[in-house]
Amino acid sequence: MKRLFVLTAPFLLIVATGCGRLATGALDQASLFDVEHDIVEYIQAPSGFQVASVVEGLTYPSAMTFGSDGRIYVLESYTLPVPGYDARILVIERDGSIDELEIDQRPEGASAVGLTAHEGWLYFTHEQPDGTWGAFRVSERGGNAETVATGFPSTGDHDLNHIVFNERGDLFVGQGSATNSGVVSSADPVNQKWLSKHPGFSDIPCRTIRLTGSTFREENALTEAEDDMTTTGAYQAYGESGATTIEGQSMCTTAIYRIRRGSSAPEMYAWGLRNPVGLAFGLDGNLYVATHGADVRSTRPIVNDPDAIYRVRERAWYGWPDFAGDLRPFTDPRYTPPEKHLAEGHDSIDFLIDHDASGLRAPDRSLLVAALEKHAAVGGMAVIPRSGPFSRWGGQLLVAQMGDFTPLTDPTMEGRSGFSVVAVDPTNGNVTTFVRNRGTGDALPSSSLGLDKGLERPVDVRIGPDGYVYVLDYGVLEISEDGQKVLPKTGRIFRVEPSR
């Protein structure tokens, strides 16, 4: 491994010499790391608990996991271009030192998202040079990266996300959509990031569907010619609109895939999920998924679409692109934005799929566990065990919420959402705040509050071997009408622990 820095004196505070630092000091034997209690008073925790910052100086982390021997592994994904940097996995040793895991024959793409440990291996999702994504694995001790499965259609808006295993050792992973709501648009700021590289790409259904024939006309932003108008239909490449039937494919977008133990063949497990990000198996044995709602962008903009948590039922269709996160139809007026945001010739949100002709029924609303805030940007998810310091939340789902990207994703939105970790009770759908920055009203990132330390954008949450809750924070990400700005070395890991 490549040593970034080492703690040479376990009872002294040490200055970082690499990409980050770990505050050090003496703790009792119950704690996972021999680190100083750097208590963050700015963060509100449940009664009887406190929040400590245990790792600092991370750059664009997207996921973390605990290895077989209790070490923390952190995926720094560099989802924004950083000259001279590639995605990498950091190892936080039990003695507090931080290393970079040495990976040979690693995937050559620029980005990565999900990371989980299983039976001595680290499984991660990673971009490939052609823009598609794959699942890979490497030993917890480093070495050659091995391919698990490749060819996932991730060249659009959303990627191959977090990974989870069931008790049999089958792997589950979610693949997001190519577009905001089923239609490619050259004026969509997210589509613009990939459209010129992959002009023939669009969403892919998991089974054959018939279309309603709804089309969307706009000025072609890919050319400099004036009045160059283009019409695009659902599930079709930009500028194409003549299809009436779209053939389903085994490698489709908006799906959860299962890869059975010992296999390299992904199987579609459920579909119609706009961006299935976090996955977790509950104590009841059910698979749960955290998904993103749609934005007010593209020629088919959607307003008031919540993020959501679902129970996953094999082969079920969850309604995208015609149903919202709460599984109500987009034809409901609550999802229609102000007219100025709609495409020419549209005054409402209409269905894209002829459901009867496609053999699709409206999604089963009993699969909805909870509708969350719109634009909360759910991330990683964990399940609280029945025993341990958080036993009174036993069986509940902890969900990291990165926080909204307004105004880029919703120029109509007032207030903020996300920037917290919530607890979701799958038995009744109750949602409660678990940790957030102190204050009244909407949760806000610490940089907006003028604080030097606190939650910025939680992206993952895990239960450690010590029973404590660990929260991975992406760091400072500022959004404006001009784009986004990310500050390196501002990512952290926080630990929620009993008050001392």
Side-chain angles (χ1 to χ4, degrees):
M1 295 182 185
K2 179 182 178 182
R3 180 54 55 91
L4 300 179
F5 58 88
V6 182
L7 301 182
T8 57
F11 298 100
L12 299 177
L13 183 66
I14 181 168
V15 178
T17 60
C19 74
R21 71 174 178 86
L22 191 66
T24 62
L27 286 183
D28 58 54
Q29 295 299 313
S31 112
L32 179 63
F33 296 106
D34 189 16
V35 296
E36 179 183 288
H37 271 75
D38 189 4
I39 305 304
V40 184
E41 300 291 346
Y42 306 128
I43 302 178
Q44 175 181 315
S47 176
F49 294 88
Q50 63 190 16
V51 179
S53 175
V54 295
V55 180
E56 300 179 357
L58 302 174
T59 298
Y60 316 152
S62 64
M64 68 176 174
T65 189
F66 285 89
S68 57
D69 60 358
R71 299 189 300 177
I72 293 180
Y73 295 85
V74 176
L75 178 63
E76 288 190 332
S77 63
Y78 302 102
T79 52
L80 297 177
V82 181
Y85 286 93
D86 294 313
R88 62 181 181 176
I89 297 174
L90 301 182
V91 187
I92 303 172
E93 303 281 359
R94 292 178 65 87
D95 67 359
S97 60
I98 299 183
D99 306 322
E100 179 181 347
L101 188 69
E102 293 185 358
I103 304 176
D104 301 320
Q105 300 178 13
R106 65 171 64 218
E108 297 181 359
S111 300
V113 172
L115 175 71
T116 198
H118 182 69
E119 297 182 345
W121 293 88
L122 299 173
Y123 289 78
F124 57 100
T125 59
H126 203 292
E127 184 185 17
Q128 298 177 273
D130 64 356
T132 63
W133 280 56
F136 303 87
R137 72 175 191 173
V138 64
S139 167
E140 291 180 7
R141 298 298 173 179
N144 290 337
E146 299 181 3
T147 299
V148 177
T150 58
F152 292 90
S154 307
T155 53
D157 286 6
H158 300 120
D159 304 319
L160 196 63
N161 295 307
H162 292 273
I163 296 172
V164 71
F165 284 85
N166 65 10
E167 293 182 350
R168 295 186 297 273
D170 300 333
L171 181 155
F172 293 79
V173 64
Q175 168 62 58
S177 65
T179 62
N180 177 52
S181 58
V183 183
V184 182
S185 168
S186 66
D188 185 325
V190 184
N191 289 184
Q192 288 174 351
K193 295 180 180 180
W194 57 266
L195 185 52
S196 60
K197 296 179 181 179
H198 308 284
F201 191 63
S202 60
D203 278 295
I204 304 167
C206 299
R207 58 180 287 184
T208 299
I209 58 173
R210 289 287 300 273
L211 301 177
T212 61
S214 185
T215 60
F216 300 83
R217 182 174 167 82
E218 66 173 347
E219 186 173 349
N220 188 348
L222 300 181
T223 69
E224 296 181 358
E226 294 184 6
D227 300 323
D228 181 5
M229 304 299 292
T230 300
T231 300
T232 304
Y235 286 94
Q236 295 166 75
Y238 184 66
E240 298 181 6
S241 59
T244 58
T245 300
I246 306 293
E247 296 293 327
Q249 298 184 29
S250 60
M251 296 297 281
C252 45
T253 57
T254 72
I256 294 173
Y257 287 92
R258 174 177 60 193
I259 303 174
R260 296 179 188 269
R261 185 183 184 97
S263 173
S264 61
E267 305 170 357
M268 189 277 290
Y269 192 77
W271 70 296
L273 298 145
R274 180 178 177 274
N275 192 23
V277 182
L279 293 169
F281 277 95
L283 299 185
D284 56 8
N286 284 317
L287 176 61
Y288 293 91
V289 61
T291 66
H292 290 170
D295 302 328
V296 183
R297 60 180 173 88
S298 79
T299 50
R300 192 171 181 254
I302 309 293
V303 74
N304 297 322
D305 189 10
D307 287 6
I309 309 295
Y310 306 120
R311 293 179 186 84
V312 181
R313 188 171 67 201
E314 188 172 359
R315 309 302 296 182
W317 178 62
Y318 284 77
W320 190 91
D322 285 342
F323 289 79
D326 56 10
L327 302 185
R328 292 186 172 92
F330 278 146
T331 52
D332 188 312
R334 76 183 72 188
Y335 306 112
T336 301
E339 185 177 357
K340 68 178 182 179
H341 297 285
L342 295 169
E344 176 184 316
H346 290 263
D347 57 10
S348 62
I349 303 298
D350 301 318
F351 285 150
L352 300 180
I353 300 174
D354 184 330
H355 305 140
D356 289 339
S358 303
L360 294 173
R361 295 181 178 179
D364 182 354
R365 296 200 77 234
S366 71
L367 298 176
L368 174 66
V369 175
L372 306 177
E373 295 179 300
K374 61 181 180 181
H375 306 306
V378 293
M381 187 162 57
V383 179
I384 302 177
R386 297 289 186 195
S387 60
F390 299 93
S391 59
R392 73 174 184 258
W393 291 273
Q396 294 197 34
L397 308 170
L398 288 179
V399 185
Q401 298 188 127
M402 189 176 185
D404 66 74
F405 284 62
T406 57
L408 292 182
T409 55
D410 188 349
T412 72
M413 182 172 170
E414 297 180 359
R416 309 300 302 273
S417 63
F419 309 107
S420 62
V421 176
V422 295
V424 179
D425 189 337
T427 65
N428 55 26
N430 287 344
V431 180
T432 56
T433 300
F434 194 76
V435 292
R436 56 161 285 175
N437 289 328
R438 294 186 183 275
T440 59
D442 298 336
L444 296 173
S446 59
S447 57
S448 296
L449 297 169
L451 306 177
D452 61 352
K453 189 174 295 184
L455 292 175
E456 281 292 331
R457 291 182 175 271
V459 291
D460 202 2
V461 58
R462 298 280 177 155
I463 310 298
D466 52 9
Y468 299 159
V469 173
Y470 288 76
V471 179
L472 179 65
D473 194 294
Y474 185 83
V476 178
L477 170 58
E478 300 173 351
I479 305 294
S480 70
E481 293 181 355
D482 298 326
Q484 54 191 27
K485 177 182 179 181
V486 181
L487 299 184
K489 300 185 180 181
T490 56
R492 287 186 169 93
I493 297 177
F494 296 97
R495 182 175 62 207
V496 187
E497 58 190 22
S499 300
R500 304 289 167 132

